[in-house]
Amino acid sequence: MEHLKIVASARQLPELQVTNQELSNIMDTSDDWIFSRTGIHQRQIVTTENTSDLATAVAKQLLDKSGVTADSLDFIIVSTMSPDSLSPSTAAIVQGAIGASNAFAFDLSAACSGFVYGLSVASSLLSTRYKRGLVIGSEVLSKLVDWQDRTTAVLFGDGAAGVLVETTTENVGLLGEQLRTYGDKGDNLVAGRFANQNPFAGEISPVDPYFHQNGREVYSFATREVPAVLQTALKKAEIAADDVDYYLLHQANARIVTSIAKRFGQPVDKFPTNMAENGNTSAASIGLLFDELIESGKVHAGQTIAFVGFGGGLTVGAQIWKI
Ligand code: ACO
């Protein structure tokens, strides 16, 4: 029987690091306020790159690391809530840039659950008629941030990360997952509302490109729903919580991660974080963390890893992987 393998991971961060201290020079905030509420010290912000540039850099690294050619890819999925454009998709731009002539490519919009939702779609594609693909989370959230709004501007960072996945006969793969969407709660986290200026347009919903969130609602949504989806994913995988080596959660906020670890009854050191350095990078965050942990040797083949996303939609999703 064929299984699914994460063959390689990679990440790309913009060069410019912006500390909380630097933000406090341009808005009424402080390192103390930001760090105590979010666990974030700094984030990377683009100066020239767009979402496809970061994603293309990740795609090239993934090919290099796995030693496969671009034309051997069957598909490219880019999860993003900050695409370069609605058309072409960011994934199509990546596909063209790396010359993946046999791959179909499309973007997936699931905000901070994008990495997990992307892996879910990839696993379905690989269980039918395809052999190899890329799943990349890439975000330039700095273009969706209102830099006059201290309640959101301090939270987000830019970056991209991804994995190359393929079918294998090894005994590894996606053991169980639970994905949920709560569209009735969608207004708690919004961004990118376009104008419709057609000559027939009447009164339409508010136009606003920027991020707005009800932080407290998102906080309680995450701490309530993440343990629930994790529990179900573990049950489907027939794995005990104790048998998971690491829980890699979307890196929105350190307090959310600690609270989920406590509610879930697992030691907090099984929930590594990196938002201190990267801020909240939405669909890129889990891949960034995964790649850092692979590089440090903390995460390695043979382990059982949980990936958990939550955010805009509102969406949430948990997967249990044997890697
Ligand atoms: N610096 C200084 N003061 C600030 C700042 C800031 N950057 N932002 C807000 N404040 C002030 C507010 O104006 C308010 O002042 P007031 O009491 O005088 O009105 C006070 O701080 C408290 O503001 P709250 O918004 O109530 O702050 P809260 O304690 O809820 O913390 C936070 C806000 C950090 C966003 C919190 O709600 C949270 O962690 N929510 C989780 C949401 C999240 O992480 N979302 C992203 C995940 S979804 C995704 O990844 C896309």
Side-chain angles (χ1 to χ4, degrees), residues 29 33 37 112 150-151 154 189 213 215-216 250 252-253 280:
T29 189
W33 193 97
R37 280 172 178 76
C112 311
R150 67 177 182 173
T151 68
V154 302
L189 207 165
Q213 69 166 344
R216 297 207 170 173
H250 166 51
N253 178 307
N280 176 348

Side-chain angles (χ1 to χ4, degrees), residues 50-52 80-85 90 138-141 143-144:
N50 209 338
T51 309
S52 67
T80 182
M81 64 178 291
S82 53
D84 292 25
S85 49
T90 302
S138 186
E139 303 281 16
V140 174
L141 299 174
K143 65 191 173 191
L144 297 180

